[in-house]
Amino acid sequence: MNRWLPRTYLTLVYLLLYVPIVVLVVFSFNESRTGYEWGGLSLRWYEALFNNRAMVQAMWNSLWLALSAATVSTLIGALTALALHRYRFRGKKVLNGMLFIVMMSPEIVLAISLLALFLLVGLQLGYVSLLLAHVTFCLPFVVITVMARLSGFDERLPEAARDLGASDFTMTRTVLIPVIMPALLAGWLLGFTLSLDDVVVSTFVSGPSYEILPLRIYSMVRVGLKPEVNALGTLLLVFSLVMLILSQWILLRSKR
Amino acid sequence: MATESDLSCNGLIRRFGKTAAVDHISLDVPAGTFFSILGPSGCGKTTLLRLLAGFDKPDEGDIFIRGQRMNDVPPNKRPVNMVFQHLALFPTMTVGDNIGYGLKRRKVPAAERRKRIARVLEQVGLPGLEQRNPQELSGGQRQRVALARCLVLEPTLLLLDEPLGALDLKLREQMKVELKHLQKQFGTTFVYITHDQSEAMVMSDQVAVMKNGRFEQVAPPEELYREPATPFVAGFVGDNNRLSGEVVTLADNMADIRLDNGEVVRGRLAANGLSSGDRAELYVRPESLMFTGEALKDGFCAMQAKVLTTLFDGANSRVEAENGGQPVFARLPQDGTAPRLTTGAEIRLAWDPKLARVYGAGQS
């Protein structure tokens, strides 16, 4: 009794988590058009997906956006974290707090204010507005990840490097960056994922010139669930798994 | 500038706000010396070391290394290396890469680098550990790697910031001897910072005792111990008894002091400007105190004391007693010559006045 109660509970939790994903994967290979009956194994939805040029274009757009947003926010975020960690300056606490506000505030608020800002300055809605918006909400996550890593950083390491003859630049390259590398990687991945599946902010700040995947799927689902979406979901799932395994592998390698 | 000095400073001052952490420090360290700076925490010794390493700039005064003025030379251009308190080994590099770091910055070719890394590892007693990670090593081994990382560069001056602080007692004792040995072997000038007087005494050729940003005394360990220049040094270096009283008579560099319980004792005068009637402090080491009866050895003086407790610690056994409310410690020899002591027993402690030192009260 005492033994199988927690087990049942755990099983239920995991079922709840994974059954929908399994269903999605299974039905992506379903010959039948309807989502509730099995019509035999088929790759027709994958074919349909890749023949849908607008869909493929949206996928590339999304990937490119996520890639650039993650990279830009990692660069800015790492420098911000370094500044917050290393220097004392006026308004440091405020700056630190403001990062959290961006992270905690409802997405819809951020979306509206960004849209208002872009309209105000007359920015054409498209790739640039999306990039700016995505960098904005990815930034705090990068900063916090890197700062957590820096908090365990021995302040004497840069001095030791200097003492052994390294210039500031060499010290950064050979000592600082290797130490915070795992955090940079984690922050980048976090940003990439956040950007890739964002709907709310993107809805507001995207334009017709640059369609991205989450919005495309969202509009497809509104007119009825097409099995193509299952195929797409499966592909994204595989992609995320590969990314996850890759990042873990890099982290493990850097620890050794 | 004396050219044979590896390091010399004059009038160094470093202020933080209104307080001077380093206050008019001048020093001169001849080549090949093991020079220690000994002081309690907060005395400014770490600030001084950082000035020497170049991580901080003096507000006034000059630093010369082998006659070259160093004030405006950044740390990466100074012929000085530092072993940090927590060693600061690079965690993302192997032992070999840690040691080769400085050589690489000097653009030493890879083959030459490997040879020199292997040689220095052998010299510090860790042959063949190039490929290990610092995290896999024991505390003592990491210590050696940190030393090797500096020594491989053959610096003019090696600075050490309490590097033994993180080790356990036994290892520390062992490393003390080893450090001294390595210093002799390499012939490098060491400037060693510590708050542990035993470390300073065992290893050093010269010790500077520092307090409130100033040097109280710079001397070889033995002189420091036998002839402390100030009451602070007398109290800080080694165990000491402090007895306060009033000067009765002064003659031939000796002073008679009337203790607060009325007894008159003697000591050598260690300060100028004292006259009869002044308050004074007499310092006498526990090992100078001898148990005596009524009959005194020639020239000795003695005082009464009441036993509080005896502490057995092998060769370091001692008795804690009091004289008119002032605590007194005496060594308790374990060769059968000491009397059996019980709490509350009255004893007489005698000493050779030449081994006791008298300072004016309130000088410390």
Side-chain angles (χ1 to χ4, degrees):
Chain A
M1 165 85 184
N2 277 354
R3 265 167 41 131
W4 61 258
L5 193 67
R7 281 187 191 179
T8 317
Y9 177 72
L10 213 63
T11 313
L12 277 174
V13 168
Y14 274 85
L15 278 178
L16 206 66
L17 281 175
Y18 284 98
V19 162
I21 295 177
V22 173
V23 167
L24 177 118
V25 174
V26 169
F27 273 82
S28 77
F29 295 104
N30 188 2
E31 168 70 35
S32 164
R33 169 161 282 280
T34 46
Y36 45 84
E37 57 183 3
W38 182 251
L41 206 63
S42 156
L43 288 174
R44 66 180 279 207
W45 302 118
Y46 287 89
E47 204 187 328
L49 180 69
F50 284 107
N51 283 331
N52 185 341
R53 287 193 44 205
M55 190 70 127
V56 172
Q57 183 60 44
M59 198 158 76
W60 286 122
N61 283 351
S62 258
L63 279 179
W64 175 243
L65 175 67
L67 210 78
S68 45
T71 307
V72 172
S73 54
T74 301
L75 285 176
I76 302 176
L79 292 175
T80 313
L82 278 174
L84 284 172
H85 176 76
R86 199 190 277 185
Y87 303 109
R88 274 199 239 167
F89 50 88
R90 274 184 58 175
K92 175 173 170 169
K93 280 217 168 110
V94 178
L95 199 67
N96 210 345
M98 272 160 64
L99 283 169
F100 278 95
I101 291 174
V102 172
M103 209 163 78
M104 308 281 285
S105 64
E107 238 184 314
I108 191 83
V109 176
L110 185 69
I112 295 168
S113 48
L114 279 169
L115 178 63
L117 178 72
F118 293 153
L119 292 178
L120 192 71
V121 299
L123 184 73
Q124 182 84 46
L125 294 183
Y127 172 70
V128 176
S129 62
L130 276 167
L131 179 65
L132 289 174
H134 283 210
V135 167
T136 307
F137 67 69
C138 290
L139 196 61
F141 292 94
V142 177
V143 175
I144 282 158
T145 319
V146 176
M147 272 195 16
R149 179 78 185 181
L150 281 173
S151 73
F153 182 71
D154 182 355
E155 285 309 311
R156 299 291 172 235
L157 290 181
E159 287 189 346
R162 297 274 287 149
D163 187 65
L164 294 167
S167 64
D168 253 338
F169 177 75
T170 312
M171 179 281 287
T172 307
R173 183 172 60 82
T174 55
V175 175
L176 186 62
I177 291 181
V179 169
I180 63 170
M181 199 56 189
L184 291 181
L185 216 67
W188 189 90
L189 277 173
L190 209 58
F192 187 85
T193 324
L194 284 172
S195 167
L196 198 62
D197 74 354
D198 175 74
V199 175
V200 178
V201 174
S202 303
T203 311
F204 281 72
V205 298
S206 73
S209 64
Y210 201 85
E211 197 184 25
I212 55 172
L213 201 57
L215 297 187
R216 175 88 203 169
I217 298 173
Y218 190 62
S219 59
M220 273 168 71
V221 171
R222 260 193 306 201
V223 292
L225 200 64
K226 274 191 176 169
E228 271 174 82
V229 175
N230 290 339
L232 183 64
T234 306
L235 286 180
L236 283 177
L237 187 72
V238 170
F239 179 73
S240 323
L241 278 176
V242 169
M243 292 279 282
L244 191 74
I245 292 166
L246 200 71
S247 67
Q248 289 300 314
W249 183 71
I250 293 173
L251 279 184
L252 271 177
R253 237 173 53 119
S254 75
K255 262 189 206 147
R256 267 201 303 114
Chain B
M1 264 331 95
T3 44
E4 65 272 22
S5 288
D6 266 357
L7 169 70
S8 73
C9 301
N10 50 55
L12 275 189
I13 301 180
R14 177 70 176 109
R15 296 187 192 89
F16 295 112
K18 282 203 164 155
T19 56
V22 170
D23 193 4
H24 290 93
I25 292 285
S26 298
L27 58 89
D28 209 47
V29 183
T33 310
F34 198 123
F35 187 89
S36 288
I37 298 170
L38 170 67
S41 55
C43 74
K45 55 190 193 298
T46 299
T47 308
L48 177 58
L49 202 70
R50 294 177 63 81
L51 292 177
L52 299 180
F55 296 127
D56 198 3
K57 282 192 171 185
D59 292 312
E60 280 173 49
D62 297 308
I63 300 167
F64 294 90
I65 292 172
R66 288 229 172 116
Q68 301 268 10
R69 191 165 177 276
M70 284 291 138
N71 289 40
D72 302 311
V73 181
N76 51 338
K77 300 269 162 59
R78 291 192 187 195
V80 170
N81 289 113
M82 181 154 162
V83 177
F84 289 81
Q85 190 168 9
H86 300 292
L87 307 181
L89 296 176
F90 305 126
T92 54
M93 298 178 205
T94 61
V95 167
D97 289 342
N98 261 285
I99 296 174
Y101 191 85
L103 295 174
K104 206 166 172 181
R105 303 284 84 79
R106 291 185 183 176
K107 311 238 186 310
V108 175
E112 165 79 8
R113 224 159 50 213
R114 268 197 302 280
K115 242 172 35 202
R116 285 174 69 175
I117 293 167
R119 194 172 62 212
V120 79
L121 271 174
E122 201 150 316
Q123 281 168 311
V124 298
L126 300 173
L129 290 195
E130 283 96 334
Q131 294 311 316
R132 299 282 282 278
N133 275 331
Q135 295 89 317
E136 300 166 12
L137 303 182
S138 71
Q141 288 174 322
R142 277 207 295 275
Q143 195 83 54
R144 282 166 229 229
V145 173
L147 267 170
R149 187 172 71 171
C150 291
L151 289 172
V152 76
L153 298 172
E154 294 164 2
T156 306
L157 202 63
L158 184 67
L159 309 175
L160 301 104
D161 185 8
E162 307 208 25
L164 304 188
L167 301 180
D168 59 60
L169 190 68
K170 199 157 187 180
L171 201 54
R172 200 152 63 212
E173 294 301 320
Q174 200 181 322
M175 280 307 290
K176 264 190 227 171
V177 181
E178 194 137 333
L179 262 179
K180 176 79 195 158
H181 183 72
L182 280 169
Q183 190 263 338
K184 280 271 176 300
Q185 183 188 335
F186 280 84
T188 310
T189 307
F190 277 32
V191 174
Y192 187 96
I193 275 199
T194 182
H195 64 267
D196 181 323
Q197 48 110 2
S198 141
E199 281 177 22
M201 302 293 267
V202 170
M203 294 188 283
S204 317
D205 300 311
Q206 288 272 320
V207 180
V209 179
M210 195 169 177
K211 184 198 168 200
N212 294 336
R214 288 168 174 272
F215 282 172
E216 292 262 317
Q217 185 175 7
V218 184
E222 238 189 274
E223 190 183 324
L224 220 54
Y225 191 78
R226 298 202 192 289
E227 289 165 36
T230 67
F232 175 77
V233 177
F236 192 70
V237 177
D239 288 331
N240 227 330
N241 289 302
R242 189 183 71 185
L243 301 164
S244 48
E246 200 180 285
V247 178
V248 187
T249 51
L250 294 160
D252 287 344
N253 247 351
M254 302 298 277
D256 284 335
I257 308 290
R258 179 179 290 117
L259 299 179
D260 295 343
N261 69 350
E263 285 177 303
V264 175
V265 294
R266 303 193 85 185
R268 236 170 72 209
L269 206 52
N272 298 320
L274 274 178
S275 48
S276 308
D278 286 350
R279 294 293 298 174
E281 282 169 351
L282 179 139
Y283 283 84
V284 58
R285 301 230 176 247
E287 70 268 27
S288 303
L289 294 175
M290 281 178 262
F291 298 94
T292 183
E294 280 305 315
L296 272 180
K297 264 209 216 163
D298 222 15
F300 275 44
C301 66
M303 65 176 178
Q304 284 298 124
K306 192 158 95 185
V307 174
L308 295 174
T309 170
T310 56
L311 302 167
F312 180 78
D313 182 16
N316 297 320
S317 300
R318 60 188 200 163
V319 56
E320 292 189 20
E322 60 151 342
N323 169 290
Q326 307 194 65
V328 180
F329 304 94
R331 223 167 64 80
L332 209 50
Q334 296 301 306
D335 55 3
T337 58
R340 290 186 62 83
L341 298 172
T342 49
T343 303
E346 287 287 337
I347 51 173
R348 260 167 84 73
L349 295 168
W351 66 88
D352 182 348
K354 288 198 288 294
L355 299 177
R357 292 174 69 82
V358 175
Y359 305 87
Q363 278 187 348
S364 53

